[in-house]
Amino acid sequence: PHQISSSLQPQQLLGERPFDRYYYPRSEHQTISECLARGEHCCVVGLPLAGKTRAVYEALKNANPPFTVIKPHLDDIDIKDFEMPFPWKWWEIIHPSEPQGWCNRCVLILDDVDKFAAKRNCDYLINRFFPSKATIVATCRSEEELALARSRLENLFNLFGKRIITFPKLPDSE
């Protein structure tokens, strides 16, 4: 499923996680926003409820101009039945000589990338996005889980380079 970032609702990215209307942006939020603005892939690492996905949500929600956001379901991928999201299919039909060229303002969200990496054929989805101009933003809960995901999705993590953003534990006061 895809969504325009300015119309994102909290549950579309955060799911059942707690959501408070008040948000205090931290320096990591700014780093995520800068990566998005430059079209740079990034991975956000931090403990559960540290604010990783919320910071990604806020960065996307406030992006100007907005992005098209694609967050795949956390399921095994059956290659023979797999279909790219609607914008991809539409662009490929209209512009067959420039596949996925529409996506210079598109973000693929891999929340809990380690869980995604454990799914069957997850690399197929990643490889379908590689030729596009989509920006990939991933989140992960720990360095150990990051290492596991990296071992399964080496090509993806080569894209991140040094753009691993580490979130400190969120203080109780925030």
Side-chain angles (χ1 to χ4, degrees), residues 67-133:
F67 290 92
T68 297
V69 178
I70 298 174
K71 183 183 178 197
H73 295 287
L74 193 59
D75 297 320
D76 289 330
I77 294 172
D78 184 352
I79 294 173
K80 68 180 183 335
D81 294 331
F82 179 78
E83 291 187 16
M84 290 298 276
F86 169 74
W88 246 270
K89 289 167 54 175
W90 174 82
W91 185 270
E92 289 175 341
I93 291 167
I94 304 298
H95 302 280
S97 63
E98 191 185 352
Q100 297 143 351
W102 71 278
C103 211
N104 62 348
R105 292 291 297 174
C106 178
V107 177
L108 174 66
I109 302 293
L110 299 177
D111 198 21
D112 292 328
V113 70
D114 55 300
K115 293 178 185 174
F116 182 79
K119 297 299 180 181
R120 184 172 45 93
N121 295 321
C122 65
D123 55 330
Y124 179 78
L125 173 72
I126 300 299
N127 290 333
R128 287 294 307 266
F129 276 88
F130 271 147
S132 77
K133 298 176 183 175

Side-chain angles (χ1 to χ4, degrees), residues 114-174:
D114 55 300
K115 293 178 185 174
F116 182 79
K119 297 299 180 181
R120 184 172 45 93
N121 295 321
C122 65
D123 55 330
Y124 179 78
L125 173 72
I126 300 299
N127 290 333
R128 287 294 307 266
F129 276 88
F130 271 147
S132 77
K133 298 176 183 175
T135 301
I136 300 173
V137 177
T139 67
C140 194
R141 297 179 300 185
S142 71
E143 292 293 334
E144 294 79 21
E145 290 174 352
L146 184 64
L148 178 63
R150 181 178 279 132
S151 71
R152 293 181 179 158
L153 297 172
E154 187 175 335
N155 287 341
L156 173 65
F157 283 90
N158 288 338
L159 287 177
F160 295 141
K162 297 192 183 308
R163 290 176 302 279
I164 305 290
I165 303 164
T166 303
F167 257 65
K169 184 177 183 309
L170 190 63
D172 291 336
S173 61
E174 292 182 34

